[in-house]
Amino acid sequence: MAYCTVPDIWQKPNQCGAASAYQAISGAGGAGNIAGSSVEAKVETLWKEVRDDGQNSSVVWKITRSLNSYVPGGNYTYKEGGVIGQSAFELYTAQSLLANHPVILHAITTNIDYYNKHYSRHYICVSGINRNTGIVTVVDCNNNESYHGTHTMSVTEAYGSITEEAARYLIYG
């Protein structure tokens, strides 16, 4: 089992990318490197760095850049879900978590069981994977209490969340 401790925080509307980045940075021991005197202020700093100019969404490459700026020894990268197989997804996730670098899914939520077929484009922080049981643990920052919190899902379900549509990514280090 590969696991990192990731804080359970609530995102502001449209700021799941910044909140998930904070979760990953904190889990990797780098939260003290982010400007701000509170979690909310630190997430706001990240929001300014990761948002799409003029839009209310986050950009994968900007999240990756922020992770590498704040995570000690950060070597985060991203791969499109549709170009990696499920076994590579498992391997990258496990190796990243073993290096104490939480993973972020740039997900579509439709086929994630706890979303009950609700469609959204959402960043979700992965805190654990057990390759023997095929279970992934996530800490979802969603501001809707129906989806927020720590959840488990199958590796197939997690992998499917980044392969259901084109341009969905696994962010790992």
Side-chain angles (χ1 to χ4, degrees):
M1 167 108 179
Y3 185 82
C4 292
T5 301
V6 172
D8 182 357
I9 66 168
W10 293 80
Q11 73 170 75
K12 289 183 180 176
N14 301 315
Q15 292 188 13
C16 59
S20 293
Y22 175 82
Q23 289 175 298
I25 293 164
S26 180
N33 299 328
I34 306 168
S37 59
S38 66
V39 171
E40 293 78 14
K42 291 173 186 287
V43 171
E44 190 61 35
T45 295
L46 290 168
W47 176 238
K48 291 173 185 170
E49 294 177 8
V50 304
R51 72 181 292 187
D52 188 6
D53 297 331
Q55 303 295 316
N56 279 323
S57 61
S58 301
V59 180
V60 169
W61 71 264
K62 289 182 176 185
I63 290 173
T64 305
R65 180 184 63 193
S66 289
L67 292 168
N68 288 326
S69 294
Y70 298 116
V71 169
N75 61 345
Y76 276 86
T77 191
Y78 57 92
K79 291 198 187 276
E80 188 172 354
V83 300
I84 61 172
Q86 184 170 314
S87 59
F89 168 84
E90 287 183 54
L91 179 64
Y92 297 151
T93 301
Q95 287 177 335
S96 187
L97 291 166
L98 286 170
N100 201 40
H101 292 162
V103 171
I104 299 174
L105 302 175
H106 181 228
I108 296 296
T109 61
T110 309
N111 291 324
I112 296 175
D113 284 347
Y114 69 91
Y115 272 86
N116 298 311
K117 306 288 183 200
H118 171 74
Y119 177 89
S120 66
R121 296 174 175 172
H122 186 52
Y123 290 92
I124 304 172
C125 194
V126 176
S127 64
I129 186 169
N130 186 326
R131 295 183 77 190
N132 292 327
T133 63
I135 298 296
V136 171
T137 303
V138 300
V139 183
D140 195 328
C141 63
N142 199 308
N143 60 338
N144 182 325
E145 65 184 33
S146 297
Y147 314 124
H148 181 89
T150 302
H151 303 275
T152 58
M153 66 180 80
S154 70
V155 168
T156 301
E157 195 176 340
Y159 174 67
S161 76
I162 62 165
T163 60
E164 188 172 333
E165 287 184 3
R168 299 283 106 190
Y169 297 89
L170 176 70
I171 305 170
Y172 64 98

